[in-house]
Amino acid sequence: MTAAASTIRYWQTPHLPGVELCRARHLDFSYGRHVHLDYHIGLVQYGGQRFIHKGNSHALVAGTLSTVNPDEVHDGLSLLPEGYEVRVFSLPPAQLAALLPQAENRFFAAPLLARPDLYAGFARLHAWLEQPAIDPLQVEEEALRLLATLFALPGQAHALGDPQLRLLRDYLLATLDARHTLEDLGQVVGLTRFAFLRQFKQRTGITPYAWLKRLRLEQGKKLLASGLAVSEVALAVGFFDQSHFHHGFRQAYGLTPAQFRQQMAGSLAR
């Protein structure tokens, strides 16, 4: 990510354990092609965002939700010269299943959803979660109502359901601090290194190295949110040079690992 004059805030709340919240105002920025470990529900309240998802271009503007599944490659850039403001919910699959068991193994059918009622509801819920004194019962009721409505909509098959991709993803998440080769990764799914490289890029839209790097950063985010020190997290996810972790994290999320850790810790301390 390259950002000029961006303001980014991440936080978590005891009312929705495990859910990461973000509110950002961007001016003149771009996100490169990337994936997330979690479901992302996003809404623009000012300006707009253009992004590529599965080879198609989409425009996210006020009144429409973005609904991105785990492991779906996408990018993003400002739709207008004046930039935009966005609110995002990041829901880990395990936390979503705990909140709403019927949503387990369900995936969004499209990256945009034109439902003004859901847009207004998620915008209201996100704003509530910026208030330390919000009533937890009110939050829980609204969150469950919105998520139940959202995941009752028709879904779709998803790459995460592909046994080979799931196997590889789980293997990498369990060995983030190890060195990997194309030959080793190919053996995990029963392919030669040449076939693996070709098929992986065709299936995901990015290279195995780019995917691994993003998995390391995504898992690093979760460990930082749990309170681990930046140096410990860098090593745990495979960045043997802490400066590379610092640079990669800032490029991906718009702030340094230390800043992110401080924001997340401060939100629970309020």
Side-chain angles (χ1 to χ4, degrees):
M1 170 186 169
T2 57
S6 290
T7 303
I8 305 171
R9 181 190 171 217
Y10 289 93
W11 74 98
Q12 52 192 329
T13 169
H15 306 317
L16 294 176
V19 176
E20 177 192 288
L21 300 150
C22 177
R23 183 179 184 183
R25 177 71 180 269
H26 293 295
L27 177 65
D28 186 24
F29 90 105
S30 63
Y31 285 102
R33 299 171 90 184
H34 63 282
V35 298
H36 300 288
L37 290 175
D38 306 330
Y39 294 89
H40 271 218
I41 301 169
L43 52 109
V44 163
Q45 295 190 295
Y46 169 83
Q49 182 198 61
R50 183 172 299 282
F51 64 98
I52 302 295
H53 178 273
K54 293 187 176 180
N56 297 312
S57 179
H58 304 273
L60 176 64
V61 296
T64 303
L65 288 177
S66 70
T67 48
V68 180
N69 294 308
D71 285 324
E72 285 186 341
V73 177
H74 57 288
D75 63 5
L77 71 159
S78 185
L79 189 62
L80 302 171
E82 56 267 33
Y84 73 94
E85 183 174 319
V86 63
R87 292 178 180 268
V88 181
F89 297 84
S90 299
L91 294 96
Q95 265 72 32
L96 176 62
L99 277 169
L100 195 71
Q102 62 265 41
E104 188 170 12
N105 296 322
R106 290 188 58 81
F107 299 100
F108 301 128
L112 290 179
L113 180 63
R115 281 285 300 265
D117 58 328
L118 288 175
Y119 173 90
F122 277 108
R124 181 171 58 249
L125 176 62
H126 203 280
W128 284 352
L129 292 170
E130 287 188 292
Q131 304 171 24
I134 188 67
D135 190 311
L137 180 59
Q138 185 180 25
V139 167
E140 187 176 11
E141 288 179 353
E142 184 71 348
L144 288 178
R145 182 185 72 80
L146 291 168
L147 290 171
T149 303
L150 179 60
F151 281 92
L153 298 174
Q156 67 166 13
H158 178 49
L160 198 57
D162 182 309
Q164 284 190 320
L165 190 59
R166 181 185 288 273
L167 175 65
L168 184 64
R169 181 181 186 268
D170 291 346
Y171 171 75
L172 288 175
L173 286 173
T175 57
L176 289 176
D177 60 344
R179 300 293 191 183
H180 297 285
T181 67
L182 287 175
E183 185 173 356
D184 295 337
L185 297 181
Q187 287 179 353
V188 172
V189 292
L191 296 170
T192 68
R193 60 179 180 173
F194 298 107
F196 170 72
L197 179 60
R198 182 179 68 254
Q199 291 186 29
F200 185 90
K201 194 167 183 183
Q202 286 175 346
R203 189 174 299 176
T204 65
I206 56 177
T207 67
Y209 175 74
W211 198 51
L212 172 59
K213 182 178 179 181
R214 187 66 187 208
L215 291 180
R216 283 173 165 157
L217 291 169
E218 287 281 295
Q219 185 62 20
K221 232 173 153 205
K222 294 181 183 300
L223 294 176
L224 289 168
S226 75
L228 281 183
V230 174
S231 58
E232 292 180 73
V233 172
L235 286 175
V237 299
F239 286 91
F240 299 101
D241 183 335
Q242 192 170 322
S243 66
H244 287 165
F245 179 53
H246 178 100
H247 175 75
F249 195 96
R250 192 160 194 260
Q251 187 177 49
Y253 306 116
L255 71 177
T256 69
Q259 289 170 332
F260 175 80
R261 181 180 182 276
Q262 183 178 30
Q263 285 188 358
M264 295 296 274
S267 62
L268 286 182
R270 292 190 305 170

